[in-house]
Amino acid sequence: MTENTQQQNSAPITELPTQYAPAEVEGTLYERWVERGYFSADAASEKPPYTVVIPPPNVTGSLHLGHAFEHTLIDALTRRKRMQGFETLWQPGMDHAGIATQNVVERELAKEGKSRHDLGREEFIERVWKWKDESGGQISGQMRRMGDGVDWDRERFTMDEGLSQSVQTIFKKLYDDELIYRAERIINWCPRCLTAISDIEVEYQDDDGELVSLKYGDGDDTLVVATTRAETMLGDTAIAVHPDDERYKHLVGKLIKLPLTDRSIPVVADEHVDPEFGTGCVKVTPAHDPNDFEIGQRHDLPNIAVMDEHAVITVPGPFQGLDRLEARSAIVGALRAEGRIVAEKRPYTHSVGHCSRCKTTIEPRLSMQWWVKVGPLAKAAGDAVRDGKVAIHPQEMEKRYFDWVDNLHDWCISRQLWWGHRIPVWYGPNGEVVCVGPDDEAPTGEGWTQDSDVLDTWFSSGLWPFSTLGWPEETDSLAKFYPNSVLVTGYDILFFWVARMMMFGLYAMDGTPPFHTIVLHGMVRDQFGKKMSKSFGNAVNPLDWMDKYGSDAVRFTLARGANPGVDVPIGEDWVQGSRNFANKIWNATRFALMNGATIEGDLPPVEQLSATDRWILSRLNATVAEVDALYDDYQFAKLSDALFHFAWDEVFDWYVELSKTTFMGGGEAAKVSGRVLGEVLDVTLRLLHPIVPFVTETLWTTLTGRESLVIAEWPSDSGFRDTGAEQEIETLQQVITEVRRFRADQGLQPGQKVPARLTLDGTALAPHEAAIRQLLRLQPEGEGFAATATLPVSGATVALDLSGTIDVGAERKRLAKDLAAAEKEKAQATAKLGNEAFLAKAPDNVVDKIRGRLTKADADISRLQAQLDGLPQA
């Protein structure tokens, strides 16, 4: 629907409340939009499609400020495209978030003194579904508060029936294509969550530990190794040295007694060992270290696991039953008693991996898991970007993407959880393995069991762009809305989610990538650039700010900070500033309505327009063109800033103020300006609507009497430009700005009237005398006028009678002092810029800063000299 077919309401309302109250309009407006189906996407439409999927929030809680940021950007894109005539789908939904959600529900059970094992698998999963229904409703409510223009009829969940079918289908397809396999490998194991986790779910931080040097063997057969995990020595199956290390060549192939055990282990030569690091010897524990596992594979070493899933020692003997940290201390003590400790360093700060969900120290562990063979999938994902099928914005993020997909290891996709998509593989009593697709019958009979593991959450999330549209069925929605137009997401999940979607989309959809463009944004931080966190005490609930300042204020603040790929600092005072902007829009529109602003009829012909009218229409069209270009380049901060300055500075401050004298005069000129002001407000509100939808909707429907901005047409650049009018008004602005600065320098109050003589003849400013006097509070000169200050500005002269208002002598001294300071600043900057040695060594930003100082000093000298020249001699 375009604005030409919108229903007309009753006659336009020409009055608005004196103040804007967001809480009184936002909820009602949003529900009206949803009820009228504005956000619903029609797969049968002949309009060109525009599709964006929501990065599905985890069902584990509420939306945070980062979600509000991301949703603002997506909503701005989709609202604009809807206004441009696209069949727009913003696909909503939530992620089941396997580990995180299971942890939350298990904590709730713990409060009742129960574990999931007390309930059993089926009852526990029922409990999680119940919790999901409660939490999911909270997230939906927050999205409505934000103004998210999503198609609620299409809301999906990564474990609903349709998406479960998608997961089972692609698992079976990958399995049949030998891209999914089961193997025993070293994985990251969380002893708290009792599951494998992927490399990208491990967070590394510097911990204080201990570095212990241990002596293996005796006499000439002595070797010294260093370790931060002494407890793993119980599982050592070799000592490795470099093949070219002359110190140990005589020992390669020999057996060395392993302390505290009744075993002997071989010395092996392996190029992985760095002979320059430490003693050049490393202990090899294949079941508890990924590098050691590779060494073990090369030398056919046994794998001895020494811990269970809880990281408790299982090796028979004095350490059995001890937690890994207890065992570490006990084993070091036992080695010390045998004289096997060569050196100890405490504290020893080193990087340690932690589970990103529960923060427990992870344990490398040999385990039988399911894996995706990512080689061919990752190559396709890299080629899609290299070949230009998919663009990454900002482009400098491409390197990070390639660094990841070009070096991907096979992906461990099995998790030892109950909540999630259960792996569709059955094992038979005689070692049979059967993968079951959604249309297959699972094997039955005695001895058949399904794999107890579930799939990594990112496995189902990787299908999101097409599973939400009905794949594997060939639905109308899939045909219409795949591939997605753009993906907007944080750079922090480039590896978690984006790469997975690229691999699966290209694989499942016959080489068609899941989206044309990937737009990566940064993280929201506090106003000092610090990461927001509850533990830091700086986390913000976006609903608190929305309650206080309105959703538009929060949205505009977030959009105005959204530079591509860069983190976004935000503080409450900035939200206050955006609230003031919303109030400014409100008040300016009230003024316009009270002074006859209208959108009725065509714009008057150019010959009937004043220079002020032509100037604002010229600037309006230039702004439309600028905003369009910035939207197409995903420069949200720049386009928000352009809209802010155009609306506040040029429309509300300059055009409205310059038009007041015209409106006061009435007649035909007032009607012309009323029509121009109506046009400018109409287009400005349309431009602002995608970012601040609530206040603009209220004002636009009042101004126009039409149904809704959501379905109005996006403005287009008519091509009208008037450089002459722009130069004329720019000159007028210079005069007014300079005289205002002079008045402020003299300590005059803004409303204080001053007699003045204006010499405007022969300049383009002559027609603007009334406006100049009105805006500068300048009275006619009258009898006894004495020009105590004369300001030559832009070809005009403004003579002021300041007698009785200032101490001329004191003012001349003050200006002379400021002028001397400006001249000194100019001399210093000129000297530095004239020093070739300085210019050769100084960074570009330092040189640019000094050039800026010189430019400012020149401007200050001109201004201060003009003020001095304008004052009478004391």
Side-chain angles (χ1 to χ4, degrees):
M1 182 182 291
T2 68
E3 68 166 323
N4 294 327
T5 59
Q6 289 187 51
Q7 295 178 354
Q8 293 286 328
N9 294 334
S10 55
I13 302 168
T14 56
E15 292 185 6
L16 288 166
T18 55
Q19 291 185 331
Y20 176 49
E24 295 178 9
V25 300
E26 291 181 349
T28 303
L29 274 183
Y30 187 81
E31 291 309 316
R32 184 187 306 160
W33 293 334
V34 173
E35 289 167 6
R36 293 180 178 179
Y38 294 157
F39 305 139
S40 298
D42 182 3
S45 168
E46 294 183 359
K47 297 177 182 178
Y50 187 81
T51 317
V52 184
V53 293
I54 193 171
N58 288 349
V59 72
T60 48
S62 59
L63 300 183
H64 51 65
L65 203 56
H67 291 117
F69 171 55
E70 188 167 75
H71 290 202
T72 294
L73 305 186
I74 300 174
D75 198 41
L77 290 175
T78 52
R79 283 179 181 270
R80 172 176 176 256
K81 285 297 181 180
R82 191 178 292 113
M83 295 172 73
Q84 287 181 317
F86 286 78
E87 192 62 35
T88 302
L89 169 60
W90 182 9
Q91 172 69 54
M94 284 175 279
D95 194 291
H96 67 280
I99 296 177
T101 302
Q102 181 159 317
N103 281 348
V104 170
V105 178
E106 286 194 270
R107 284 197 295 268
E108 294 297 313
L109 281 176
K111 295 176 184 177
E112 304 172 17
K114 298 179 181 178
S115 73
R116 60 181 162 121
H117 300 284
D118 295 324
L119 272 65
R121 187 165 190 147
E122 289 188 10
E123 188 177 343
F124 176 76
I125 290 174
E126 288 179 10
R127 183 76 172 256
V128 181
W129 274 108
K130 180 181 178 183
W131 185 90
K132 175 264 174 188
D133 291 339
E134 296 171 356
S135 179
Q138 181 182 4
I139 290 173
S140 297
Q142 291 173 310
M143 290 171 63
R144 291 170 185 267
R145 282 293 308 278
M146 279 294 301
D148 290 359
V150 300
D151 186 344
W152 288 110
D153 293 335
R154 293 173 175 267
E155 186 175 11
R156 304 304 297 270
F157 180 56
T158 50
M159 281 184 61
D160 67 28
E161 184 177 351
L163 269 65
S164 294
Q165 182 184 15
S166 300
V167 169
Q168 200 170 349
T169 299
I170 201 163
F171 187 99
K172 171 72 169 167
K173 180 174 170 60
L174 288 162
Y175 182 87
D176 289 346
D177 288 344
E178 299 183 347
L179 292 173
I180 280 183
Y181 63 95
R182 193 168 186 243
E184 192 175 45
R185 299 269 187 86
I186 292 285
I187 47 89
N188 302 300
W189 181 263
C190 176
R192 159 62 185 79
C193 299
L194 297 181
T195 182
I197 60 175
S198 65
D199 291 343
I200 51 180
E201 292 171 304
V202 177
E203 293 180 348
Y204 287 90
Q205 66 184 48
D206 288 339
D207 287 356
D208 284 341
E210 60 181 352
L211 181 67
V212 183
S213 296
L214 313 177
K215 181 174 68 172
Y216 288 17
D218 295 293
D220 292 338
D221 294 346
T222 297
L223 293 172
V224 176
V225 299
T227 181
T228 58
R229 301 165 68 220
E231 68 279 9
T232 64
M233 59 85 59
L234 298 175
D236 287 356
T237 55
I239 294 176
V241 298
H242 194 275
D244 299 331
D245 195 329
E246 295 293 337
R247 294 172 294 177
Y248 306 116
K249 277 194 173 183
H250 68 289
L251 291 177
V252 174
K254 284 191 174 183
L255 293 176
I256 301 291
K257 181 74 168 59
L258 180 64
L260 305 182
T261 73
D262 58 0
R263 293 191 292 117
S264 294
I265 57 177
V267 178
V268 299
D270 196 280
E271 292 188 352
H272 170 75
V273 180
D274 180 0
E276 302 299 323
F277 184 77
T279 62
C281 304
V282 296
K283 58 191 288 296
V284 182
T285 320
H288 291 278
D289 184 274
N291 293 321
D292 292 4
F293 178 78
E294 297 297 331
I295 294 175
Q297 293 289 293
R298 287 193 287 273
H299 298 277
D300 198 24
L301 300 174
N303 302 315
I304 301 177
V306 300
M307 285 178 251
D308 65 12
E309 66 268 25
H310 297 280
V312 171
I313 300 298
T314 57
V315 178
F319 311 111
Q320 186 175 12
L322 295 180
D323 170 81
R324 55 183 166 169
L325 297 182
E326 296 171 334
R328 182 177 301 169
S329 178
I331 287 172
V332 169
L335 290 167
R336 187 182 298 112
E338 289 191 4
R340 296 277 174 190
I341 302 295
V342 175
E344 297 179 70
K345 185 176 181 181
R346 295 191 186 91
Y348 177 72
T349 302
H350 61 132
S351 182
V352 178
H354 295 261
C355 173
S356 63
R357 302 297 182 188
C358 69
K359 310 309 176 187
T360 301
T361 301
I362 62 103
E363 187 66 40
R365 185 169 187 253
L366 187 64
S367 179
M368 182 68 74
Q369 301 286 343
W370 285 95
W371 304 80
V372 171
K373 187 183 294 182
V374 300
L377 303 175
K379 182 181 184 305
D383 289 346
V385 175
R386 288 188 174 94
D387 297 345
K389 291 182 180 178
V390 179
I392 294 180
H393 185 89
Q395 191 173 2
E396 54 264 28
M397 286 286 182
E398 283 186 1
K399 183 179 184 302
R400 295 181 65 177
Y401 176 78
F402 291 136
D403 286 346
W404 180 256
V405 298
D406 292 348
N407 297 285
L408 265 181
H409 300 294
D410 284 0
W411 172 19
C412 177
I413 56 171
S414 46
R415 299 290 181 268
Q416 290 64 54
L417 305 171
W418 287 357
W419 173 245
H421 294 280
R422 195 164 175 180
I423 289 177
V425 172
W426 270 255
Y427 306 109
N430 299 311
E432 303 95 332
V433 179
V434 176
C435 180
V436 177
D439 299 324
D440 301 332
E441 289 289 334
T444 57
E446 186 177 351
W448 282 93
T449 57
Q450 185 179 358
D451 196 301
S452 61
D453 288 353
V454 300
L455 288 164
D456 178 11
T457 295
W458 299 104
F459 189 94
S460 52
S461 300
L463 314 181
W464 192 247
F466 51 93
S467 63
T468 52
L469 298 173
W471 186 89
E473 302 299 324
E474 295 180 1
T475 64
D476 292 340
S477 291
L478 188 64
K480 177 73 173 180
F481 296 113
Y482 187 91
N484 295 180
S485 306
V486 63
L487 172 74
V488 180
T489 192
Y491 64 71
D492 56 318
I493 58 172
L494 178 63
F495 315 128
F496 286 87
W497 190 44
V498 180
R500 313 299 191 203
M501 287 189 290
M502 286 286 284
M503 290 191 295
F504 282 166
L506 289 159
Y507 173 74
M509 301 301 293
D510 299 321
T512 302
F515 19 72
H516 297 302
T517 304
I518 301 168
V519 176
L520 298 172
H521 59 71
M523 298 171 64
V524 177
R525 297 181 178 272
D526 70 14
Q527 63 196 88
F528 305 108
K530 191 174 183 180
K531 180 179 178 180
M532 284 192 172
S533 167
K534 290 181 180 178
S535 60
F536 295 155
N538 62 351
V540 174
N541 183 341
L543 293 183
D544 292 341
W545 280 354
M546 290 181 207
D547 290 340
K548 198 170 182 180
Y549 304 110
S551 297
D552 284 331
V554 175
R555 290 171 61 116
F556 192 74
T557 304
L558 291 166
R560 204 172 179 193
N563 288 297
V566 178
D567 289 345
V568 183
I570 184 172
E572 186 169 359
D573 54 337
W574 303 340
V575 185
Q576 289 176 338
S578 295
R579 188 268 316 273
N580 295 342
F581 180 50
N583 289 342
K584 186 79 170 180
I585 303 170
W586 185 270
N587 293 333
T589 306
R590 283 189 73 244
F591 168 85
L593 290 170
M594 289 188 294
N595 285 276
T598 179
I599 65 162
E600 298 302 321
D602 295 333
L603 278 171
V606 174
E607 57 269 18
Q608 293 183 21
L609 301 178
S610 68
T612 306
D613 294 333
R614 298 195 308 277
W615 161 73
I616 196 61
L617 290 174
S618 182
R619 290 294 307 126
L620 177 68
N621 280 285
T623 301
V624 170
E626 181 183 10
V627 169
D628 271 334
L630 292 170
Y631 258 119
D632 291 341
D633 197 33
Y634 306 101
Q635 297 279 356
F636 296 100
K638 290 182 178 179
L639 72 88
S640 299
D641 214 45
L643 285 170
F644 174 86
H645 287 294
F646 174 72
W648 189 305
D649 299 344
E650 298 187 277
V651 179
F652 305 147
D653 276 358
W654 283 108
Y655 183 72
V656 167
E657 290 299 318
L658 289 171
S659 299
K660 282 182 178 178
T661 53
T662 304
F663 288 129
M664 289 169 59
E668 192 61 30
K671 290 182 181 179
V672 169
S673 288
R675 179 65 188 90
V676 172
L677 181 53
E679 181 77 10
V680 171
L681 282 176
D682 174 21
V683 174
T684 302
L685 292 172
R686 293 175 198 240
L687 292 173
L688 285 165
H689 176 73
I691 299 175
V692 285
F694 294 107
V695 67
T696 53
E697 172 84 339
T698 305
L699 296 175
W700 189 83
T701 53
T702 302
L703 172 70
T704 67
R706 294 178 177 167
E707 184 181 340
S708 175
L709 250 182
V710 180
I711 52 173
E713 289 181 358
W714 181 254
S716 58
D717 175 11
S718 70
F720 175 78
R721 299 289 192 279
D722 191 325
T723 55
E726 289 196 36
Q727 291 174 355
E728 183 174 326
I729 300 305
E730 184 178 341
T731 302
L732 175 61
Q733 291 171 334
Q734 290 172 354
V735 171
I736 292 172
T737 300
E738 194 61 37
V739 176
R740 279 178 173 167
R741 183 185 291 120
F742 180 79
R743 285 177 56 108
D745 288 344
Q746 311 312 310
L748 299 176
Q749 295 300 313
Q752 186 174 349
K753 294 183 178 181
V754 177
R757 176 187 299 138
L758 306 184
T759 305
L760 307 175
D761 295 341
T763 73
L765 299 175
H768 302 287
E769 180 168 353
I772 293 172
R773 287 189 178 276
Q774 171 71 22
L775 293 176
L776 291 174
R777 303 294 189 268
L778 302 180
Q779 295 177 319
E781 50 194 282
E783 280 189 42
F785 177 82
T788 58
T790 303
L791 301 177
V793 187
S794 301
T797 303
V798 180
L800 305 173
D801 184 353
L802 302 177
S803 56
T805 62
I806 63 170
D807 182 335
V808 174
E811 185 60 22
R812 291 190 69 86
K813 287 182 180 179
R814 185 185 71 81
L815 290 173
K817 181 179 178 182
D818 291 347
L819 179 61
E823 289 172 337
K824 181 179 178 181
E825 174 74 1
K826 177 180 179 179
Q828 291 175 340
T830 301
K832 284 190 175 181
L833 294 174
N835 185 335
E836 293 297 332
F838 170 78
L839 293 177
K841 295 180 181 178
D844 290 344
N845 64 319
V846 172
V847 175
D848 289 342
K849 186 176 180 180
I850 293 173
R851 288 194 178 112
R853 285 169 48 191
L854 178 60
T855 300
K856 182 179 183 301
D858 279 333
D860 287 344
I861 290 169
S862 298
R863 175 176 58 83
L864 293 165
Q865 189 61 60
Q867 290 180 16
L868 271 170
D869 294 343
L871 288 174
Q873 295 297 320

